[in-house]
Amino acid sequence: MDEDMLRCVTEQGFAARTLPLPLYVRAHAEVLVPAADAGERLDLRAADIPLLDVAVAADRRGALRQLVERAAVLRIVRSGHGSLRDSLPDSGGDAGADARDGSPPAVGAGDSHDEAVARAIYQELARRRAESGIEKGTLITGRDQAEGPSGVALRGVDGRIDCYLLGETAGVPAVGAVLRLDRLERPLCAVVCDLWERRGVERAVQAVLREFVVTTLPRRDDTDRAPLPYGDFHDVVAVGETDFETLAPRPPRDETAELRDRLRLHGHRASVRVLGPADRTALVACRLEPTATSEPSADSESEPVRRPTTDTQDDWRPRDVAALGLRAPRQLSLTYERDDVRIGRVYHENSKMRTAYGTLPVVDIAEMSPPARRLLGQAYRDFGHARRQYPMRPAGQPRLLTLDQVVRRRRSWAAMGDGELTRAELAHLLTLSYGTTGAAVAGQDLRLPLRATPSAGGLYSSDLFVLVDRVSGVEPGLYYFHPGKRLLQLVDDERTLAEVAEYTGYRERAGEAAAMVVYVGAFRRNQWKYRERGYRTVLLDCGHLAQSVVTTATSLGLVAHPMIAFVDDYFNAYVGVDGVEDAVLYLTLLGPRRTGDEAA
């Protein structure tokens, strides 16, 4: 259904893009942009994307519905209040007729014709109510004043959102929302009209959050934020209170008929023009006109109708975003299509832990057989028949930098010298980052080895290989580090580091290294327990281990450069894993720090 709304935007000659919101704004935002900026493309120049309008709602569909309406209004404005024949098929003629006050007609979009008409009428009534000037209203209590319905809210901010009943316009209740934040120069405000006042509260909160989002967006000239609301705002005065629970719990049974009846009773009729085809999202333009038998009334408003002057526009009309010169935030996180990450998002959803029983099997180590419990402590490979093995049991205590020095000195791209690593340095690095450091009791008859790096469930799903090029006392080749025996065991010596470097994204940088650490994820070691979530834990285990390697290397005065840019199939074949049950996940280049390079 979202696609119908999206298509309705594009058929009018515009495009919609999702706008990331600050985490304290609990809502969804979409922005209207020129059709030329529809694509999520990588532009390292961070070119400006002009924003034509902003919509905020509880979900994407609600925000897109608002953009459909605003795209139609913008089309009318750009055509000089003329025809929309070219914007949507079967538009039916002049949608911009009778622009008596110079403003375009209200536009409504919905799943049905009646819904679209009601939304258009509500918007026209809200515009009239805002232009009349608002100074007092009835405060709606009995709800969290910092939040709104449907999950739309501001969370953890120093301020509040107050909602008010503002009387009626043409017999239709008006609801205002005022956002007060201590760090804002003045309150932000919005007004809506709706027969169902509870829904009006929700829409008013969404509307005032839109005003807040607009104020946070940068301008194209980078000189200032968007201006606050027009003119001087006279804060609404509460003349009474009413509890939210006393508002009608549901809308009228026939909302459109009720709306037309109230308009007629107050001397108005709605002139509606269909803009969009009826077989998809309904789109209509609407004007309110006086009936032939009655003069327009004062619309039952609590204050006399008064038009704002050019000097003091103290009304609550939504700001014209296109006129503000706003641009989209420059975020490279926007540079992908949804289909590019669909599988990852599906995986993430399916790997979530649920509160329902049976998400993961219950594992009680005490009830496992002794052989099964012993397997838990054998989370390693063993190349015991390798023709070369090197003990990695360093003698003595190495001179290590302090943690403060390590944190300040660590740099991935620090200059490497062309000398060797010592065997003692490599031994310290491997044992301090992934060697066995203790044991834990599992049941009454088993002690499981513990290592220097954390791992989900103590299952140690990462294996550590080292491609040696320049390490004194160790011949070049690919080795496996056995964490229990503390041995380097030869795996392959037919390829040099220079050859392997050709299959990385930084060939020259990799060629500078004295050694390369290769991390292999062994998925079976924890997916029997964590199922789909096990893939997450394997990646986390690998990240923990890589950080331990980097930190330890830096403390030894070495350079450690983590690297994700490599050809997976090549490295999987080189190590000897299938890339499915076991796979290479990460690399770290190791080298001596260039003499004299002590930069923090």
Side-chain angles (χ1 to χ4, degrees), residues 187-225:
L188 299 175
C189 42
V191 63
V192 302
C193 288
D194 202 306
L195 282 177
W196 187 20
E197 293 166 337
R198 290 195 181 193
R199 184 175 60 195
V201 171
E202 175 180 350
R203 292 177 53 222
V205 170
Q206 294 175 8
V208 80
L209 284 180
R210 172 191 181 265
E211 295 298 297
F212 175 69
V213 169
V214 170
T215 67
T216 66
L217 294 171
R219 303 184 67 162
R220 284 197 294 269
D221 56 11
D222 281 333
T223 58
D224 199 0
R225 296 288 184 179

Side-chain angles (χ1 to χ4, degrees), residues 105-227:
V107 174
D111 295 330
S112 66
H113 176 79
D114 283 351
E115 181 184 12
V117 169
R119 286 179 61 87
I121 292 175
Y122 288 146
Q123 291 182 39
E124 177 67 9
L125 292 174
R127 180 181 67 84
R128 295 186 175 207
R129 185 69 186 97
E131 290 179 348
S132 71
I134 300 167
E135 296 179 353
K136 59 187 177 181
T138 301
L139 179 65
I140 300 173
T141 62
R143 48 178 288 277
D144 188 339
Q145 297 300 297
E147 299 189 0
S150 303
V152 176
L154 287 175
R155 178 179 59 182
V157 299
D158 199 9
R160 57 191 286 117
I161 298 176
D162 290 316
C163 293
Y164 300 86
L165 294 178
L166 304 172
E168 294 183 343
T169 298
V172 177
V175 179
V178 180
L179 170 59
R180 300 177 176 90
L181 295 176
D182 289 352
R183 293 178 178 85
L184 279 181
E185 180 182 347
R186 68 192 78 178
L188 299 175
C189 42
V191 63
V192 302
C193 288
D194 202 306
L195 282 177
W196 187 20
E197 293 166 337
R198 290 195 181 193
R199 184 175 60 195
V201 171
E202 175 180 350
R203 292 177 53 222
V205 170
Q206 294 175 8
V208 80
L209 284 180
R210 172 191 181 265
E211 295 298 297
F212 175 69
V213 169
V214 170
T215 67
T216 66
L217 294 171
R219 303 184 67 162
R220 284 197 294 269
D221 56 11
D222 281 333
T223 58
D224 199 0
R225 296 288 184 179

Side-chain angles (χ1 to χ4, degrees), residues 269-389:
R269 67 181 179 87
S271 176
V272 175
R273 179 75 65 185
V274 175
L275 303 180
D279 59 337
R280 289 182 294 177
T281 301
L283 184 63
V284 303
C286 173
R287 283 283 186 191
L288 294 185
E289 303 171 345
T291 60
T293 58
S294 175
E295 291 298 322
S297 70
D299 294 341
S300 304
E301 293 160 338
S302 56
E303 294 292 325
V305 176
R306 55 183 175 85
R307 300 294 180 186
T309 67
T310 55
D311 295 329
T312 58
Q313 296 186 27
D314 54 348
D315 60 71
W316 287 18
R317 292 178 298 175
R319 279 166 289 170
D320 181 1
V321 171
L324 296 178
L326 302 181
R327 61 171 173 78
R330 292 171 174 171
Q331 293 192 19
L332 292 182
S333 60
L334 293 177
T335 56
Y336 60 81
E337 299 285 356
R338 289 179 179 270
D339 285 344
D340 294 339
V341 294
R342 187 177 302 276
I343 294 176
R345 291 182 176 182
V346 170
Y347 160 71
H348 188 77
E349 183 65 28
N350 285 301
S351 66
K352 289 180 179 177
M353 292 187 70
R354 312 292 181 182
T355 56
Y357 175 77
T359 300
L360 294 176
V362 178
V363 177
D364 188 346
I365 294 179
E367 294 182 359
M368 297 172 66
S369 66
R373 290 203 299 272
R374 283 194 292 271
L375 283 174
L376 296 180
Q378 298 173 5
Y380 48 75
R381 306 172 192 272
D382 195 341
F383 294 80
H385 298 286
R387 66 175 181 271
R388 287 202 301 269
Q389 298 190 62

Side-chain angles (χ1 to χ4, degrees), residues 531-573:
R531 304 292 172 87
E532 289 284 21
R533 197 171 180 84
Y535 186 73
R536 288 201 207 188
T537 65
V538 172
L539 299 183
L540 291 170
D541 284 359
C542 180
H544 291 317
L545 177 54
Q547 180 62 22
S548 292
V549 169
V550 169
T551 302
T552 304
T554 306
S555 72
L556 290 165
L558 308 177
V559 175
H561 185 162
M563 182 182 295
I564 194 65
F566 60 88
V567 180
D568 290 70
D569 290 343
Y570 175 86
F571 273 84
N572 288 330

